[in-house]
């Protein structure tokens, strides 16, 4: 799930590029583990900074247009380039496994239940 340019531009300018882990919720759905990439995606030679969320869950359908709420809990590694698509995929798999391990720690697991993820019915957030 990629955030829009407007959302990316609203992130703090001094946040380090790299791979993070945390919690994500689509709409008023369940809260799931996630890995987040903030940066330029050098393998794909992006010219604009992006923020991409990989929710560690299989959804039954697309959720375009839904509100995506995230809590960044920790940092895994800096952004880097890769020699091949296979190397990139391997690194992503390692990032996912590290996120799962970290988010199972009691101090991180408790954030899954934070009220931040429970929007009151009918509440308008960011004009949506």
């Amino acid at each position: 799930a990629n955030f829009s340019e407007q959302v990316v531009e609203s992130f703090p300018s001094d946040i380090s590029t790299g791979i993070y882990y945390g919690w994500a919720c689509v709409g008023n759905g369940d809260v799931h583990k996630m890995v987040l990439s903030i940066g330029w995606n050098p393998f794909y030679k992006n010219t604009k900074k992006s923020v991409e969320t990989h929710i560690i869950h299989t959804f039954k359908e697309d959720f375009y247009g839904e509100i995506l709420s995230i809590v960044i809990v920790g940092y895994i590694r800096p952004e880097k380039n890769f020699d091949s698509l296979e190397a990139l995929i391997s690194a992503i798999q390692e990032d996912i496994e590290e996120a799962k391990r970290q988010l199972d720690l009691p101090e991180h697991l408790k954030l899954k239940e934070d009220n931040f993820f429970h929007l009151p019915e009918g509440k308008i957030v960011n004009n949506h």
Side-chain angles (χ1 to χ4, degrees):
N2 297 351
F3 282 104
S4 68
E5 273 185 48
Q6 180 184 2
V7 171
V8 173
E9 289 169 3
S10 72
F11 268 64
S13 59
D14 60 348
I15 193 166
S16 296
T17 59
I19 310 303
Y20 295 80
Y21 61 89
W23 298 102
C25 178
V26 176
N28 274 325
D30 294 333
V31 178
H32 301 285
K33 295 174 180 176
M34 65 90 177
V35 177
L36 184 79
S37 169
I38 299 175
W40 305 95
N41 298 330
F43 183 78
Y44 291 104
K45 300 175 177 48
N46 287 4
T47 57
K48 290 190 177 208
K49 187 186 262 185
S50 67
V51 177
E52 300 175 0
T53 308
H54 173 79
I55 302 172
I56 305 171
H57 176 76
T58 303
F59 290 88
K60 292 179 180 156
E61 54 192 41
D62 289 336
F63 49 85
Y64 291 104
E66 291 285 339
I67 293 173
L68 175 61
S69 302
I70 65 167
V71 170
I72 298 172
V73 177
Y75 184 76
I76 296 176
R77 63 174 175 83
E79 181 178 45
K80 61 183 179 181
N81 201 353
F82 295 91
D83 296 330
S84 67
L85 182 58
E86 293 76 20
L88 171 60
I89 291 169
S90 177
I92 290 169
Q93 291 304 320
E94 290 172 18
D95 297 337
I96 290 169
E97 292 308 312
E98 178 65 13
K100 288 178 181 178
R101 281 191 295 275
Q102 292 294 328
L103 291 165
D104 280 340
L105 295 172
E107 63 268 28
H108 296 154
L109 202 52
K110 69 181 179 184
L111 295 171
K112 180 180 182 180
E113 305 304 326
D114 194 273
N115 285 336
F116 169 78
F117 290 115
H118 305 290
L119 296 173
E121 286 299 319
K123 181 173 180 186
I124 296 175
V125 179
N126 295 333
N127 300 320
H128 292 95

